[in-house]
Amino acid sequence: MSTCILSASLALTGAQSVQATEELQLAHAYPSDHIFHLTSTTFMDELKNKGADIEVDYHPGGSLGDWASLFEQSMEGVVPMTMSFGASEFDPRLDLSWLSYVVDDWKEAREVYGPNGKMTNVYNEIMGDLDLVVLGVIPTGFGSIAMRKGVDTIPTSFPEDGKDIKMRVPAIPIGIERYRSFGFTPVPMPFSELYTALQLGTVDARGTAPSVEIWQMRDVLESYILTKDYFEHAFWVVNKSWLEGLPAQERNKLIAAADATMAKVWDEAQAIDEGFLDKVRGAGIKVVELSPEDMAKAKEILYANEWPFMEKIVGSKIMNMMRDIAGIQ
């Protein structure tokens, strides 16, 4: 009888071990009206739909650090999953995600950056060296520039209109190069300090700004100039070692849930971006479009300056591919 009881106990323990729920910490640095939150909640729903035995410990809003810090924590496996922008301090090739004037509209953006897009393998090759896997590329919309309240200047013709304007840029080389080429005085600054800097007049303007962030900072902004100088997209990454350590069945369910999430997010992203642009207009911010001549001039400047700068970092093979995508001869 003792032997039977012991055998049954061991069998039960083994079954419980096999069926143990996997824990996954997911964190990002943005609020609930950002597409990162939509992506996160959709993913958690899809995990349930796939029957995955994975419990998500979700931390939005930067409670575990800013986006660059979370990117590093995912590399180290401390926070296995995050949604973050390209943090080039860890690999300069990640600045490729900020490259200017690759696509002109949402249709082209989906073909290049969307599910099974042309850039997926390129990004995964880079991320693999950082012990990360790209589960998806999250679109946030076309980035432009915005002027703070109290500054009536509306720069549309570059580089002459950028003179003497202090432009906040992320602390990334390609951002500094871009806005210097546009004639501005670049001021590298963490995103967490930006709102106060605009409020106090430490900077006159901000670049790399999709419509959702203009809405979030609407009370300190005067105008929004649609340079659309790049298509902003973020990386949804998971630590590669953590992912490979999952039981195969759970790993397959997680990847299937991520694929289903990305399909839904890309279906909704354009409407979300355009909706925030309408809100920006409704808030009284001047929304200004570049003339075709000024847009062509802006592209010419960055193709001549920023693109060769980037080629020194990623090499001619990748940049020739990017030129083919952008239709640059």
Side-chain angles (χ1 to χ4, degrees):
M1 183 179 294
S2 297
T3 301
C4 291
I5 292 172
L6 178 60
S7 299
S9 176
L10 290 172
L12 179 59
T13 301
Q16 288 174 336
S17 176
V18 170
Q19 296 171 5
T21 299
E22 298 288 344
E23 293 185 357
L24 168 62
Q25 196 168 52
L26 162 60
H28 62 76
Y30 288 82
S32 60
D33 55 0
H34 198 277
I35 198 168
F36 286 5
H37 180 66
L38 172 65
T39 305
S40 301
T41 54
T42 303
F43 171 63
M44 289 186 283
D45 289 341
E46 287 295 333
L47 278 177
K48 293 178 183 177
N49 292 340
K50 305 300 180 187
D53 198 13
I54 298 174
E55 183 176 333
V56 178
D57 180 18
Y58 180 43
H59 295 268
S63 61
L64 298 184
D66 65 16
W67 63 264
S69 169
L70 286 169
F71 187 89
E72 183 176 17
Q73 291 181 67
S74 291
M75 287 169 51
E76 296 170 349
V78 177
V79 178
M81 183 180 288
T82 192
M83 295 161 192
S84 174
F85 297 98
S88 55
E89 58 263 45
F90 304 111
D91 190 319
R93 294 175 296 172
L94 289 174
D95 268 355
L96 192 65
S97 67
W98 302 92
L99 189 64
S100 60
Y101 294 122
V102 177
V103 296
D104 290 329
D105 55 42
W106 274 90
K107 180 178 181 296
E108 291 180 1
R110 184 161 189 157
E111 292 171 355
V112 174
Y113 301 113
N116 301 313
K118 299 174 183 177
M119 293 300 296
T120 302
N121 290 338
V122 175
Y123 287 150
N124 259 320
E125 183 175 338
I126 296 171
M127 293 292 187
D129 293 340
L130 303 175
D131 200 25
L132 294 171
V133 173
V134 179
L135 293 174
V137 173
I138 304 172
T140 53
F142 285 90
S144 296
I145 63 177
M147 309 298 295
R148 68 172 174 84
K149 283 189 174 177
V151 177
D152 295 329
T153 303
I154 299 179
T156 57
S157 182
F158 310 112
E160 54 271 23
D161 285 1
K163 186 178 179 181
D164 298 327
I165 295 175
K166 292 177 291 184
M167 173 71 71
R168 179 269 172 181
V169 300
I172 53 174
I174 196 171
I176 297 169
E177 177 69 23
R178 175 176 309 163
Y179 294 105
R180 183 184 291 126
S181 298
F182 270 170
F184 298 105
T185 300
V187 181
M189 180 183 295
F191 184 82
S192 59
E193 299 175 12
L194 174 56
Y195 180 88
T196 302
L198 290 165
Q199 190 177 43
L200 297 177
T202 307
V203 294
D204 304 309
R206 62 156 301 184
T208 62
S211 60
V212 60
E213 292 180 15
I214 300 303
W215 170 249
Q216 291 163 355
M217 299 185 177
R218 60 193 177 278
D219 56 330
V220 294
L221 296 175
E222 184 82 24
S223 59
Y224 186 37
I225 299 95
L226 301 180
T227 52
K228 296 184 177 180
D229 45 88
Y230 77 113
F231 184 77
E232 183 170 285
H233 55 283
F235 301 111
W236 178 13
V237 295
V238 63
N239 180 267
K240 186 177 181 181
S241 297
W242 181 91
L243 183 65
E244 291 176 349
L246 282 178
Q249 187 176 20
E250 295 305 310
R251 183 168 62 248
N252 292 338
K253 289 176 182 177
L254 186 150
I255 293 171
D259 289 344
T261 298
M262 279 291 88
K264 290 182 178 180
V265 166
W266 273 89
D267 285 344
E268 297 183 31
Q270 182 176 356
I272 292 171
D273 181 46
E274 292 171 351
F276 278 115
L277 186 58
D278 288 341
K279 287 184 177 182
V280 166
R281 289 191 176 98
I285 294 174
K286 300 171 188 173
V287 177
V288 180
E289 295 195 34
L290 298 190
S291 68
E293 294 77 17
D294 284 337
M295 179 63 80
K297 186 179 176 184
K299 286 184 175 183
E300 183 179 353
I301 289 170
L302 297 190
Y303 289 152
N305 292 281
E306 180 186 311
W307 282 54
F309 173 84
M310 195 65 212
E311 187 161 6
K312 294 176 183 177
I313 297 171
V314 301
S316 58
K317 179 180 178 181
I318 288 178
M319 288 307 293
N320 285 337
M321 181 190 74
M322 302 308 296
R323 290 186 180 96
D324 288 340
I325 291 172
I328 303 172
Q329 300 300 321

